[in-house]
Amino acid sequence: MFRPVLALLGVRPATAWVAVTERDLTIRYGPWQLRTDRDNVTAVEVSGPYRWWRAIGPHLSLADGGATFGSSAAGGICLRFGEPVPALVPGGRPRHPAATVTVADPQALARLLAVPDLS
């Protein structure tokens, strides 16, 4: 339903993905990109479903300053960072304490990025 509009922004399946390595987390969403050390991910939370106007497209959360990269209102995952990261605007500002992404399998991404309980 939202694919044609997102495609106008450069967001297509080939340009919207999340990659996790042993060291890095990279989120690509059309021309937008967020890259951080995997160790900077301090919490993960599966969330949703969302209201479409809060989840679709790239945007800034006025509630917590987090970035959202959404292609679906069905659900996604919120990633919290120890050190805020740039994502939405070139030049490194603002920096975001969290990012929400909608992916095909939020549970699998949550398991992959699971943060050990250090308490």
Side-chain angles (χ1 to χ4, degrees), residues 25-78:
L25 165 71
T26 304
I27 298 168
R28 169 93 187 271
Y29 190 75
W32 294 271
Q33 183 168 292
L34 181 157
R35 183 174 294 152
T36 190
D37 291 341
R38 188 172 174 173
D39 292 343
N40 193 33
V41 178
T42 58
V44 297
E45 177 185 348
V46 175
S47 57
Y50 312 113
R51 293 180 179 99
W52 72 265
W53 60 88
R54 288 190 175 177
I56 303 301
H59 59 272
L60 172 70
S61 167
L62 297 178
D64 69 359
T68 296
F69 302 107
S71 303
S72 167
I77 184 169
C78 179

Side-chain angles (χ1 to χ4, degrees), residues 64-106:
D64 69 359
T68 296
F69 302 107
S71 303
S72 167
I77 184 169
C78 179
L79 308 168
R80 302 235 176 254
F81 306 117
E83 291 292 324
V85 297
L88 293 174
V89 179
R93 298 280 182 216
R95 298 176 73 81
H96 310 283
T100 298
V101 293
T102 58
V103 293
D105 191 346

